[in-house]
Amino acid sequence: MSPQAIGFAIVLLATVMLVGKYLRVRVPLIQRLLLPSSIVAGFVALLAGPEVLGRIGEATGIDWLADGGVFSEDIVSVWKTLPGLLISVVFATLFLGAPLPKIGRVVKMAGPQLSIGAAYGSGQYVVGLLAGVLILAPLFHLEPFIGGLLEVSFEGGHGTAAGMAPAFEEMGYGELGDLSLALATVGLVSGIVIGVAVINWGVRTGRTEVLDKIEDQSPAELQGLYSDNETVYAGKMTSRPSSIEPLTLHVAIIGLAIIIGWLILQGLVLLEDWLWGQPDSVWGGDEGVTLLGYVPLFPLAMLGGVIIQFFLDRTGRSQLVDAQLMQRIQGLALDILIVAALATISLQVIADYWQAFVVLSIVGIIFCTVMLVYFTPRVIPKFWLERGIADFGQSMGVTATGLALLKVADPDDQSPALEAFGYKQLFFEPIFGGGLITAIAIPAMVAAGNVWVVFIPMLILFIVALGAGMYYRRGVASGKFTDPIVEEAKD
């Protein structure tokens, strides 16, 4: 494949993104669903590509469509490689630019939120694997570990689903990557629709503590644009362009974070080979067991970002990295990732695994909705809907979905929900939703030959997380514990 073909594929992807933005501006239904332009663009590319127009061309004998829709095979091949590369960029930026807070305040603010987050993540494994054991395996003769895709897709979102695709390929289950992306789309769309409905219900029934009534968003907000009287900055200049362009500096730091993550991953693989990964290793037996070798790069790229930020904080150089500029780079990578991933979904895989697709979609939606409306008010003492809606959105899409719903529930940032949610992410992101558990859960089940190696620990974590959260909530109500958010609200 020529460099020109690769370059044209990327330029064409950017053009498709512009089509998605145009549709967001022009189509009221897309606006009401708060669908990101990247999701819309991904569906446009999917319809115009080999899976839809290409198949129509084959059926109707239109040769120029049968070759791949309006896109050539080379273009689609380039797009397929992008998600696996860009997911490391997305995760490397998560903690870059914001000074790591003091552990005491983080623990106090994030405790209840972390209980809910851990219950979402572990609970999706519990209900997903139960569905695999009780429904998918006996009724449809599918592997029960497929239930583990619920957490990968719902909690992890499109980025994690795409990032796990290489690991699925190495395990011999490459088709699970497409199934994960389809499930992630269901989670994202249903999460937005249900989330907005719950916010409206909360306002009508007096369960919100910020909004008195729901006001229609302005046309600019629905279109995803800023009005003329709004001034918003994408970031600040942290270096003089005569020395190095600030954007270049930030991209270079992200590259260093990814390299650090790669070095950590290589060290883990070598350690595994020595301990159990190779035949006749320390605990490997006659054949050896591969587990860490399936771990993708992106969760360790995130750890690389934490290491860099820790170093910057310690040396007094944190001003070199701007959090807003990092978020813009992250957003660019995530937009391209989502469009490329959705554009290259195999609809044949969804047809082949339609049973798993339907069952896991229904189970996931019911579980997350019950977690929000029943368990969250029994765990979070104050501002439960404002704080809970962010975790709900994240558990069914991506962090940005949770933040978008939080913006609807608390448009002027009057509650401590955003701060508490951000602190929770410090503990949560390295574990679930693309963290280490997400990376090793399905490989562990495949290596062990059963789902119980993951199901039992996740069931225990689910019970402990909810139990601890509910115990804390009752303690705050009785005066046994003091909650900083409750105390600040009194003042």
Side-chain angles (χ1 to χ4, degrees):
M1 188 181 302
S2 67
Q4 289 82 0
I6 296 173
F8 181 71
I10 295 173
V11 170
L12 187 58
L13 191 70
T15 305
V16 174
M17 176 70 75
L18 196 58
V19 173
K21 180 59 187 177
Y22 175 80
L23 293 175
R24 169 66 189 261
V25 171
R26 301 295 298 179
V27 180
L29 177 61
I30 295 175
Q31 296 172 8
R32 292 293 177 183
L33 290 177
L34 301 177
L35 282 179
S37 300
S38 57
I39 298 288
V40 180
F43 279 121
V44 170
L46 177 63
L47 293 174
E51 289 296 317
V52 179
L53 274 184
R55 293 182 183 274
I56 293 175
E58 291 176 1
T60 58
I62 304 176
D63 293 337
W64 68 273
L65 282 180
D67 291 336
V70 299
F71 308 125
S72 69
E73 183 178 341
D74 285 348
I75 288 173
V76 175
S77 296
V78 173
W79 289 357
K80 284 183 177 180
T81 64
L82 292 177
L85 299 173
L86 292 174
I87 186 62
S88 294
V89 176
V90 173
F91 275 75
T93 59
L94 282 174
F95 297 116
L96 283 171
L100 300 176
K102 293 182 178 180
I103 192 66
R105 180 169 177 81
V106 169
V107 171
K108 291 180 180 179
M109 292 284 288
Q113 203 104 16
L114 185 60
S115 294
I116 284 293
Y120 270 116
S122 59
Q124 286 182 9
Y125 278 114
V126 171
V127 298
L129 292 176
L130 277 178
V133 171
L134 301 178
I135 301 175
L136 299 182
L139 298 183
F140 304 114
H141 309 292
L142 297 175
E143 295 286 354
F145 71 79
I146 290 178
L149 292 180
L150 183 59
E151 195 273 345
V152 173
S153 305
F154 272 43
E155 190 74 61
H158 289 87
T160 301
M164 287 296 294
F168 294 149
E169 290 280 357
E170 290 185 28
M171 290 184 290
Y173 296 96
E175 63 275 9
L176 298 186
D178 290 310
L179 182 58
S180 298
L181 286 168
L183 285 169
T185 301
V186 171
L188 178 67
V189 175
S190 58
I192 291 172
V193 173
I194 295 172
V196 172
V198 169
I199 292 171
N200 280 272
W201 165 76
V203 171
R204 290 196 305 270
T205 58
R207 287 175 168 83
T208 57
E209 300 189 46
V210 172
L211 292 178
D212 294 324
K213 62 180 180 178
I214 291 288
E215 298 178 354
D216 290 337
Q217 296 187 51
S218 68
E221 288 175 312
L222 290 172
Q223 293 171 351
L225 301 171
Y226 288 105
S227 59
D228 293 339
N229 59 354
E230 291 181 287
T231 302
V232 181
Y233 297 97
K236 69 177 183 180
M237 305 283 277
T238 61
S239 65
R240 295 184 183 274
S242 59
S243 167
I244 185 172
E245 180 64 35
L247 183 61
T248 306
L249 174 63
H250 284 66
V251 171
I253 292 172
I254 293 170
L256 178 59
I258 295 173
I259 290 175
I260 293 173
W262 180 82
L263 291 173
I264 295 172
L265 179 59
Q266 297 308 305
L268 291 175
V269 170
L270 289 175
L271 181 63
E272 179 181 61
D273 288 343
W274 179 65
L275 292 176
W276 61 75
Q278 297 295 326
D280 300 322
S281 54
V282 177
W283 298 310
D286 295 332
E287 297 181 0
V289 178
T290 299
L291 187 60
L292 297 178
Y294 294 130
V295 174
L297 174 59
F298 62 85
L300 298 172
M302 176 179 61
L303 181 58
V306 172
I307 292 172
I308 291 176
Q309 187 61 48
F310 178 81
F311 175 79
L312 292 174
D313 290 346
R314 287 290 183 176
T315 58
R317 296 289 184 178
S318 57
Q319 76 278 4
L320 292 175
V321 182
D322 178 58
Q324 288 183 310
L325 198 51
M326 280 295 177
Q327 289 175 359
R328 301 289 71 77
I329 298 172
Q330 180 192 79
L332 171 64
L334 188 59
D335 280 343
I336 297 174
L337 182 157
I338 291 173
V339 176
L342 290 179
T344 55
I345 285 178
S346 172
L347 297 182
Q348 185 60 49
V349 168
I350 300 174
D352 292 342
Y353 287 85
W354 68 268
Q355 304 97 328
F357 176 73
V358 172
V359 170
L360 293 180
S361 295
I362 294 173
V363 168
I365 290 171
I366 293 174
F367 170 76
C368 292
T369 304
V370 170
M371 280 292 302
L372 173 62
V373 300
Y374 182 80
F375 286 107
T376 300
R378 288 164 172 80
V379 171
I380 296 180
K382 188 73 173 173
F383 299 102
W384 75 262
L385 195 146
E386 290 82 1
R387 295 171 65 182
I389 201 70
D391 280 292
F392 171 80
Q394 182 186 36
S395 73
M396 297 189 71
V398 291
T399 302
T401 307
L403 294 177
L405 290 174
L406 175 57
K407 189 66 175 177
V408 176
D410 185 10
D412 298 318
D413 197 20
Q414 295 174 264
S415 77
L418 182 60
E419 181 184 8
F421 180 76
Y423 289 161
K424 176 219 103 177
Q425 294 296 86
L426 292 172
F427 299 96
F428 184 80
E429 287 286 1
I431 307 300
F432 288 106
L436 293 178
I437 288 180
T438 305
I440 68 174
I442 291 181
M445 288 186 283
V446 172
N450 66 78
V451 301
W452 310 116
V453 294
V454 171
F455 177 82
I456 293 175
M458 291 299 101
L459 178 61
I460 294 172
L461 178 58
F462 177 70
I463 295 172
V464 170
L466 273 186
M470 295 170 74
Y471 176 74
Y472 176 79
R473 172 70 175 82
R474 289 194 296 268
V476 171
S478 65
K480 183 177 181 180
F481 302 130
T482 58
D483 183 85
I485 293 179
V486 173
E487 297 302 316
E488 289 172 9
K490 290 179 181 178
D491 296 337

